[in-house]
Amino acid sequence: MKLESLRFLNLVQVRKIAEEFGTPVFIYSESEILKRIEAAKSFPNAYGLIVRYAMKANPNSNILKIMLQNGIFLDASSIYEVERALKIGYPANKILLTSQEPPNSEKLKEIVNQGVEFNACSLHQLELYGKNFPNTEISIRFNPGLGSGHTKKTDVGGKESSFGIWHEFIDKVKNLLQKYNLNVKRVHTHIGSGSDPEVWKAVAKYTLEFAEIFPTTQIVNLGGGYKVARMSDEKSTDFQLIGEPVKQQFIEFFEKHGRKLQLEIEPGTALIANCGSLISEIVDIVNTGENGYTFVKLNTGMDANTRPSLYGARHPLVVIGRNENQNHFQEYVVVGHCCESGDLFTQKMGGELETRLLHKAEIGDYIVMEGVGAYCSGMSTKNYNSFPETPEVLLEQNGKFRLIRKRQTLDQIIQNEV
Ligand SMILES: *Cc1c(COP(=O)(O)O)cnc(C)c1O
């Protein structure tokens, strides 16, 4: 496997951050985020585009503010995310709630009356909305019956997925719409990660069919799931390549039905994954004999990045010598600091131990893990083994490093125990 290199930091910066903020520590690059925002905003579209940031990817308020300042709307996945965004001043009418667990009627009324939009993801949710807001407009998430997640666990479409209203239940949807006198404003699908233009074409085709069935539809939301290359042997989704045929489909829809539909996309990964690095320190190096492996142990683990143990996901790992980089290389297995055999950072795609070629490492050297901007800090098995939440630092456009989340203390870990 190819030797990976640093993505946006340089050697001097890595050492400086480690000394100033301690390790482990997450670093996010503002200028990298801005580049991804521009790319998303240039997604081909015929009649207007709204880009929503799936805030579950990384909900730090400083990241959300960058999104807000650059015209990005939000996809919230729980009532708590909605409240978190409102708290920092995100305008309610820029937030769409698409959640597995709906808020109770009281909370639902509170946020919808402020302007938050609600995306009904099940028949039960549609009924809940209808009861509380009869004679209004609604947004509906459908499961179009196909999925394309790059692993089983990220597949959110098809019959094995519980997300959205199953496409065969249109009559049930129509009955509820009639019962509460609701008009469909937005149809929504989100079926999982992928970069294949053919899959996106199919997603757009199925989603546009819902827009045809519900003639009051104004907005078609195709969700997120744009795969990005974290490792150098992977391929990122090309927005122009997958977007152009989608744009054509919207034009054909207009020619056939006389309705200009607005396009909405909801990237999480694509906006932030490759804008984050995790700097850790090597705390031990052990081996299991002549026919065994050499293990590098880090002072971070699944409590900061759960993706490898959850999905068998791969992240670039780069050894940075404390003073200088050695010119020798070695095959290593890299493990996290949790007492858990699954806390393993060098796995084959899908989850089996493998070795990685790295610069020869010594205890005390740094390891930078790349591609950790999305679904790491926000999705970790936090506080496992009572390790504190990892701090976060923003590399601002002006080149300055700013702490945007402190390291958690032991007192904070146990503060709710009674
Ligand atoms: C998670 C999620 C997204 C973002 O998915 P990515 O793979 O991060 O792009 C978008 N929409 C919905 C409804 C989601 O649940």
Side-chain angles (χ1 to χ4, degrees):
M1 196 179 293
K2 243 184 89 182
L3 198 68
E4 299 282 345
S5 53
L6 292 175
R7 295 298 188 259
F8 57 84
L9 295 169
N10 60 43
L11 295 171
V12 177
Q13 286 175 318
V14 170
R15 293 183 187 120
K16 186 168 176 276
I17 296 161
E19 274 159 33
E20 189 175 339
F21 301 99
T23 63
V25 59
F26 284 105
I27 322 292
Y28 308 121
S29 161
E30 184 174 18
S31 50
E32 291 295 317
I33 296 170
L34 295 176
K35 275 189 229 163
R36 304 308 190 284
I37 289 175
E38 284 319 305
K41 280 179 170 174
S42 67
F43 196 99
N45 66 88
Y47 312 113
L49 171 74
I50 288 177
V51 179
R52 292 185 182 275
Y53 170 56
M55 66 178 281
K56 70 179 188 289
N58 190 324
N60 187 302
S61 60
N62 296 270
I63 304 287
L64 297 186
K65 281 176 190 162
I66 296 174
M67 299 296 169
L68 177 60
Q69 282 157 10
N70 289 281
I72 303 294
F73 287 49
L74 286 187
D75 157 48
S77 64
S78 77
I79 182 68
Y80 292 96
E81 281 195 345
V82 169
E83 292 183 323
R84 196 166 174 174
L86 290 173
K87 225 181 165 86
I88 60 150
Y90 231 101
N93 62 8
K94 291 194 169 164
I95 304 171
L96 174 66
L97 172 60
T98 300
S99 64
Q100 284 286 75
E101 178 190 340
N104 61 33
S105 289
E106 207 175 302
K107 276 277 173 210
L108 182 66
K109 272 192 202 143
E110 196 182 304
I111 59 164
V112 172
N113 284 332
Q114 282 182 68
V116 172
E117 289 190 83
F118 179 74
N119 194 17
C121 298
S122 70
L123 293 168
H124 169 69
Q125 288 192 13
L126 183 54
E127 179 114 43
L128 176 77
Y129 190 86
K131 272 187 195 150
N132 286 290
F133 297 96
N135 317 311
T136 59
E137 292 178 317
I138 180 68
S139 173
I140 302 180
R141 175 176 185 172
F142 289 99
N143 178 342
L146 87 166
S148 77
H150 62 284
T151 76
K152 263 260 171 249
K153 286 177 186 163
T154 55
D155 214 332
V156 283
K159 70 173 186 206
E160 290 178 8
S161 161
S162 68
F163 298 90
I165 297 175
W166 185 242
H167 62 103
E168 290 169 333
F169 298 154
I170 297 295
D171 287 343
K172 292 181 184 174
V173 170
K174 282 184 174 165
N175 286 341
L176 285 171
L177 293 176
Q178 204 172 14
K179 183 171 169 191
Y180 296 107
N181 189 31
L182 295 172
N183 278 332
V184 177
K185 173 184 174 186
R186 175 193 291 99
V187 291
H188 175 284
T189 57
H190 168 71
I191 64 154
S193 306
S195 56
D196 184 349
E198 288 307 314
V199 175
W200 283 102
K201 242 161 112 176
V203 169
K205 176 174 174 278
Y206 288 122
T207 315
L208 284 168
E209 277 172 16
F210 297 121
E212 192 179 330
I213 294 167
F214 302 102
T216 53
T217 304
Q218 299 158 31
I219 303 168
V220 170
N221 184 319
L222 299 180
Y226 309 89
K227 183 174 168 31
V228 307
R230 291 182 176 83
M231 301 291 288
S232 51
D233 64 356
E234 294 172 348
K235 251 193 96 171
S236 281
T237 310
D238 180 339
F239 282 160
Q240 299 305 317
L241 188 72
I242 62 161
E244 205 47 52
V246 171
K247 176 180 165 182
Q248 288 311 316
Q249 285 167 295
F250 276 61
I251 293 170
E252 281 161 28
F253 188 95
F254 169 67
E255 285 166 353
K256 217 167 141 193
H257 306 284
R259 289 155 50 207
K260 292 182 175 173
L261 299 168
Q262 198 174 15
L263 171 66
E264 223 169 60
I265 57 170
E266 285 175 344
T269 304
L271 285 176
I272 189 94
N274 279 331
C275 308
S277 310
L278 173 63
I279 303 177
S280 65
E281 218 169 294
I282 296 172
V283 291
D284 209 344
I285 298 177
V286 303
N287 72 74
T288 47
E290 224 169 281
N291 300 317
Y293 298 96
T294 302
F295 294 84
V296 162
K297 299 188 183 182
L298 307 181
N299 68 347
T300 188
M302 62 195 291
D303 58 306
N305 178 4
T306 309
R307 299 185 71 255
S309 52
L310 192 60
Y311 307 132
R314 298 179 307 152
H315 290 261
L317 298 165
V318 186
V319 173
I320 306 293
R322 192 163 270 260
N323 302 305
E324 57 189 46
N325 262 15
Q326 302 198 40
N327 245 339
H328 310 286
F329 305 94
Q330 192 174 330
E331 291 284 342
Y332 291 109
V333 174
V334 179
V335 299
H337 59 177
C338 290
C339 299
E340 195 69 39
S341 59
D343 195 4
L344 175 62
F345 288 124
T346 48
Q347 303 187 33
K348 289 181 190 141
M349 194 71 205
E352 221 180 293
L353 178 146
E354 72 174 357
T355 60
R356 272 282 177 98
L357 185 69
L358 302 176
H359 277 276
K360 195 161 168 43
E362 282 176 17
I363 294 173
D365 285 348
Y366 302 116
I367 282 205
V368 179
M369 194 181 302
E370 298 288 9
V372 296
Y375 304 107
C376 290
S377 171
M379 196 181 75
S380 63
T381 46
K382 202 163 282 184
N383 294 154
Y384 183 49
N385 290 187
S386 298
F387 285 116
E389 197 172 60
T390 306
E392 297 177 303
V393 168
L394 183 69
L395 169 52
E396 293 179 326
Q397 258 185 307
N398 59 18
K400 289 204 179 108
F401 296 107
R402 179 163 64 87
L403 186 67
I404 58 170
R405 185 174 78 181
K406 295 182 207 165
R407 193 179 308 281
Q408 204 179 20
T409 63
L410 179 60
D411 283 340
Q412 288 170 334
I413 295 176
I414 58 176
Q415 68 185 355
N416 292 329
E417 289 179 11
V418 178

